[in-house]
Amino acid sequence: MTTAKTEDLTLDFGFTTAPGRIGDMVWFESKPDGLQGTVGESPISGVILNLYDSATGALIKSTTTDSSGYYLFDNLPLNKTYVVQLAPSNFQPAGKLYTATNIPLNQGTATTDNNANPLALFNSVNPANPVNPVKFGYAVTTTLTTAITQDLTLDFGFTGGTGRLGDVVWFEDNPDGLQGTGTEKSIANVIVDLYDAVTGAYLDSAKTDATGAYLFDNLPLGMTYVVQLNPANFLTTGALANLQYTALNQGTDTTKDSSANPNALFNSVNPENPVNPVKFGYAITTTLSTTKTQDLTLDFGFTKGQGRIGNYVWYETNPNGLQGDAGETPLAGVVLNLYNADTGQYLASATTDKNGYYLFDGLPLGVKYAVQLAPSNFVRIPNVEPSGVLQDFLPTKLGQGTPISDSNAFFNPANPANPKNPGYVYTTLTSAFTQDLTLDFGFTSGVGRLGDVVWFETQPDGLQGTGAETPIANVIVDLYDSASGTYLGSRTTDSNGYYLFDKLPLSTTYTVQLNPSNFVTGGALFTYTHTAINQGTDTSKDSSANPNALFNP
């Protein structure tokens, strides 16, 4: 202030009510169809809901459902993304949802459906240990804007009942598939999943306790359920790793037999790729009703896996595809992956020792397996060992001699963009065929080189150097063993139109072929036709692009 300015009455502060609103309802339904407005529904009061800033994770406020099951967060700023989440305390013994069971999701419209998804995680506090925040489910995300000032569609539906499903997962040395006949042992920490058999919706999970028992209780009646062993149980760190299922459905007492059937498939999530669900086994289907309120016969028995798969990776200077010749050396540090051939599930990896041998043991029988040379063997990765062990090699001849002495190494020509995409070798282990130690992979290399150029010319005389030729880049060229038809690899022409296969074994007849994909839409040669063939006497300048020079790739 000054003598010339003795006052300033312009320092104003304006406010308004933030117009944003988020709600709406938590309800119980005796008929678990996941839709509001059907018979047998009632509101659930006293349910605690938390509102978070989606970007920062900060808790903004909490509220509780009223006697009509409704909740509301109002006076919210617009142009923000929020998360509404059921508080974990609701599911504790004193909580309003402690005995509640999930119902189907996303049925009907947004105003009538259910958003109570236990797998919709957000970084909420674990009420059992508030010092250690953990992910928790039942979260719904929504954004308020000037165009959408309210979202009153965030509803949570639940059901409950008297149904119960269980029972036990066990191990037995004597694989007779019957509990109580020998020295069985319980298997703890086995993850068991529960699904709605009709919709496929995930409902819940349980873990076996120290006695091997699991239980899903308070389940609605009048529903068909699927109980399934989670795929993670069979990974390297899983509770059932390297175990084989025991005999199925033995005897007449369903409380004592085993239902651990790897071929009883259901649409479960592949733990290696949760975005891509795949069929998985070990599923049991059962229906609960007023006359059958529980089924405690859903048992899973296992025994030790007896299967073994191997055996050898080697290098040979004479590429005849046969082990036992002079000049052969083992290849150490080669990584091999093992998969379930039917489901595609990754099971394990092994690395060849200094003698070139690898082994997968303790494998369940009755399973079709796929063994693959890991793609990392063919690409040198900085600071990663082992990697690139086979990057300079080509597979030797396939299927020579006997299964014990031959090579199974081949590349997959179905993916020309990845010229060293190793193929799979399949084998099935059974009680009559408990091991397969014939899956060997032979490689070779040499000083041979094959090339050279793919070009375009406006004057189709079939001779380089006679006009305005230009190189054609990105043309895929395949290499085969002419005698056996074995695919050996691919190259792509560079910006100068050149391609090169080097380090090739000598005394071998090869076929070089333009990949068919070059001539389809999007291919480097799609709009072209071949020029004149075999012109002049200088083979370094003529063209060999003959569409009638056929080969069966």
Side-chain angles (χ1 to χ4, degrees):
M1 307 297 291
T2 66
T3 54
K5 182 183 179 183
T6 59
E7 65 177 28
D8 188 345
L9 303 181
T10 67
L11 309 181
D12 309 303
F13 300 86
F15 293 90
T16 186
T17 300
R21 304 167 77 226
I22 292 175
D24 195 54
M25 186 182 188
V26 182
W27 87 97
F28 172 89
E29 55 183 25
S30 56
K31 178 186 177 183
D33 58 6
L35 286 169
Q36 299 176 58
T38 55
V39 296
E41 296 177 356
S42 57
I44 307 177
S45 62
V47 177
I48 303 169
L49 297 102
N50 295 329
L51 181 69
Y52 295 90
D53 184 315
S54 176
T56 66
L59 176 66
I60 298 173
K61 61 176 75 174
S62 297
T63 192
T64 303
T65 55
D66 61 21
S67 59
S68 299
Y70 287 101
Y71 72 94
L72 181 67
F73 296 104
D74 57 2
N75 297 326
L76 300 176
L78 303 181
N79 299 315
K80 288 191 68 172
T81 299
Y82 298 92
V83 172
V84 175
Q85 185 176 45
L86 296 174
S89 59
N90 292 306
F91 300 91
Q92 297 300 304
K96 288 289 186 176
L97 302 175
Y98 178 57
T99 61
T101 303
N102 301 313
I103 62 175
L105 294 167
N106 305 320
Q107 307 297 302
T109 67
T111 58
T112 61
D113 71 346
N114 165 46
N115 302 113
N117 184 358
L119 299 180
L121 304 179
F122 192 71
N123 194 29
S124 181
V125 172
N126 178 356
N129 184 7
V131 179
N132 181 28
V134 296
K135 294 285 186 182
F136 188 75
Y138 300 102
V140 189
T141 301
T142 188
T143 300
L144 299 184
T145 66
T146 54
I148 304 176
T149 59
Q150 65 178 19
D151 188 346
L152 303 182
T153 69
L154 308 188
D155 308 299
F156 300 87
F158 292 89
T159 190
T162 58
R164 303 167 76 225
L165 295 174
D167 196 40
V168 69
V169 183
W170 87 92
F171 173 87
E172 57 184 11
D173 290 309
N174 173 30
D176 61 3
L178 290 171
Q179 302 174 59
T181 59
T183 55
E184 295 94 8
K185 302 174 184 176
S186 58
I187 307 179
N189 298 315
V190 177
I191 305 169
V192 187
D193 297 331
L194 181 68
Y195 295 89
D196 183 319
V198 177
T199 66
Y202 166 84
L203 300 177
D204 203 358
S205 291
K207 271 190 178 182
T208 57
D209 60 20
T211 67
Y214 71 92
L215 179 68
F216 297 102
D217 60 358
N218 200 39
L219 299 177
L221 305 180
M223 286 186 64
T224 301
Y225 297 93
V226 170
V227 171
Q228 184 176 43
L229 297 178
N230 189 287
N233 292 308
F234 300 92
L235 298 180
T236 304
T237 58
L240 302 175
N242 298 326
L243 294 184
Q244 141 129 17
Y245 63 94
T246 189
L248 292 168
N249 305 320
Q250 302 300 296
T252 57
D253 188 347
T254 56
T255 65
K256 296 183 180 299
D257 70 347
S258 171
S259 303
N261 184 357
N263 296 317
L265 304 178
F266 191 69
N267 193 30
S268 181
V269 171
N270 177 355
E272 294 299 307
N273 184 6
V275 179
N276 181 28
V278 296
K279 292 288 186 182
F280 188 75
Y282 299 101
I284 312 173
T285 302
T286 189
T287 300
L288 297 182
S289 65
T290 53
T291 59
K292 180 186 172 183
T293 60
Q294 67 178 19
D295 189 344
L296 302 182
T297 69
L298 311 183
D299 307 301
F300 300 88
F302 290 87
T303 189
K304 182 164 179 60
Q306 302 169 331
R308 304 168 76 225
I309 292 175
N311 196 41
Y312 184 58
V313 183
W314 86 96
Y315 171 86
E316 58 184 12
T317 54
N318 175 26
N320 63 1
L322 289 170
Q323 301 174 54
D325 295 334
E328 296 177 355
T329 55
L331 292 173
V334 177
V335 180
L336 298 101
N337 295 331
L338 182 69
Y339 298 87
N340 182 308
D342 292 321
T343 67
Q345 182 188 4
Y346 166 82
L347 299 176
S349 292
T351 303
T352 56
D353 61 21
K354 64 180 181 180
N355 297 313
Y357 288 99
Y358 72 94
L359 180 67
F360 298 103
D361 61 357
L363 300 177
L365 305 181
V367 177
K368 183 179 180 180
Y369 294 95
V371 175
Q372 183 192 38
L373 292 165
S376 61
N377 291 307
F378 302 95
V379 180
R380 178 69 67 186
I381 303 173
N383 302 318
V384 175
E385 294 297 340
S387 67
V389 177
L390 303 174
Q391 68 174 352
D392 294 327
F393 297 149
L394 288 174
T396 190
K397 291 183 179 180
L398 280 170
Q400 308 299 303
T402 68
I404 295 176
S405 62
D406 71 346
S407 172
N408 302 106
F410 69 98
F411 294 143
N412 181 4
N415 185 7
N418 181 7
K420 286 192 174 179
N421 179 27
Y424 296 86
V425 183
Y426 300 96
T427 189
T428 300
L429 300 184
T430 66
S431 57
F433 185 68
T434 60
Q435 66 177 21
D436 189 344
L437 302 181
T438 69
L439 305 189
D440 309 300
F441 302 88
F443 289 86
T444 189
S445 66
V447 296
R449 304 167 77 228
L450 294 173
D452 189 47
V453 68
V454 182
W455 86 93
F456 171 81
E457 57 184 10
T458 53
Q459 177 187 340
D461 60 3
L463 290 171
Q464 301 174 58
T466 59
E469 295 100 5
T470 54
I472 306 178
N474 299 316
V475 177
I476 302 169
V477 186
D478 298 333
L479 182 67
Y480 296 88
D481 182 311
S482 298
S484 66
T486 302
Y487 169 79
L488 300 177
S490 295
R491 298 290 185 269
T492 302
T493 57
D494 61 21
S495 59
N496 296 312
Y498 285 100
Y499 69 93
L500 178 66
F501 297 97
D502 59 357
K503 299 180 181 178
L504 299 177
L506 305 181
S507 301
T508 299
T509 301
Y510 298 96
T511 294
V512 173
Q513 185 177 43
L514 295 177
N515 189 282
S517 65
N518 292 307
F519 299 94
V520 301
T521 303
L525 302 175
F526 175 57
T527 59
Y528 296 142
T529 187
H530 64 92
T531 188
I533 299 170
N534 302 324
Q535 302 300 298
T537 57
D538 188 347
T539 57
S540 67
K541 296 184 181 299
D542 70 348
S543 171
S544 304
N546 184 358
N548 295 316
L550 305 178
F551 189 72
N552 190 25

